[in-house]
Amino acid sequence: MKDPELDVLIKELETRADMTVADFDAVVHALAFLLPEKAGDAAMPQVISTTDGAMVVADDAYPNWAVHIHGRANDRDGHWHCTLRENDSRDNDAVIGIGKSPVLAQAILAAVLRLAMALKKGPGST
């Protein structure tokens, strides 16, 4: 996969509220490409489409990282925000994963994919 394909996939995660299992299959392939050693049993389309499954992916990929979730469950389409930070006590992380979506699981997955892309390129590169 190339960066433009990953960018399109992240945009879909962040804008669509009605993704299908086939759409999540593309996310599984992206995870396998970006995090080959971390893409385990949890990385199945039916599993990662759930909030619990997406959290397992985030935890497997970035253990001991802080996951910040913000949103309003009573708002239409949630408008969820997820941030993955290596250091929860200071504000000097080299790289932060950020995702937003009308669906919480998709916000988490977008943050994981963004963080994996940034780390694959190396901190400080754009």
Side-chain angles (χ1 to χ4, degrees):
M1 294 188 108
K2 296 182 179 167
D3 285 353
E5 294 171 303
L6 293 168
D7 289 337
V8 168
L9 182 58
I10 291 170
K11 184 173 176 104
E12 284 187 21
L13 282 168
E14 292 189 323
T15 57
R16 291 184 50 202
D18 59 349
M19 290 184 66
T20 66
V21 173
D23 296 324
F24 282 103
D25 192 47
V27 176
V28 169
H29 289 301
L31 290 168
F33 172 74
L34 291 168
L35 304 162
E37 67 284 350
K38 311 273 177 145
D41 295 334
M44 295 174 37
Q46 299 87 344
V47 175
I48 67 169
S49 65
T50 67
T51 300
D52 289 344
M55 284 299 295
V56 168
V57 168
D59 184 50
D60 286 348
Y62 302 103
N64 300 318
W65 282 55
V67 179
H68 295 269
I69 296 171
H70 179 76
R72 299 180 74 114
N74 61 347
D75 284 350
R76 180 171 168 82
D77 292 329
H79 301 289
W80 296 100
H81 298 267
C82 177
T83 307
L84 296 171
R85 300 180 60 121
E86 186 173 16
N87 190 337
D88 198 22
S89 60
R90 293 189 205 117
D91 197 19
N92 64 348
D93 296 313
V95 181
I96 298 173
I98 299 171
K100 59 184 182 206
S101 178
V103 179
L104 180 53
Q106 292 171 208
I108 296 166
L109 293 170
V112 169
L113 290 176
R114 266 208 187 92
L115 180 58
M117 285 176 64
L119 290 173
K120 193 168 189 93
K121 290 179 186 179
S125 64
T126 53

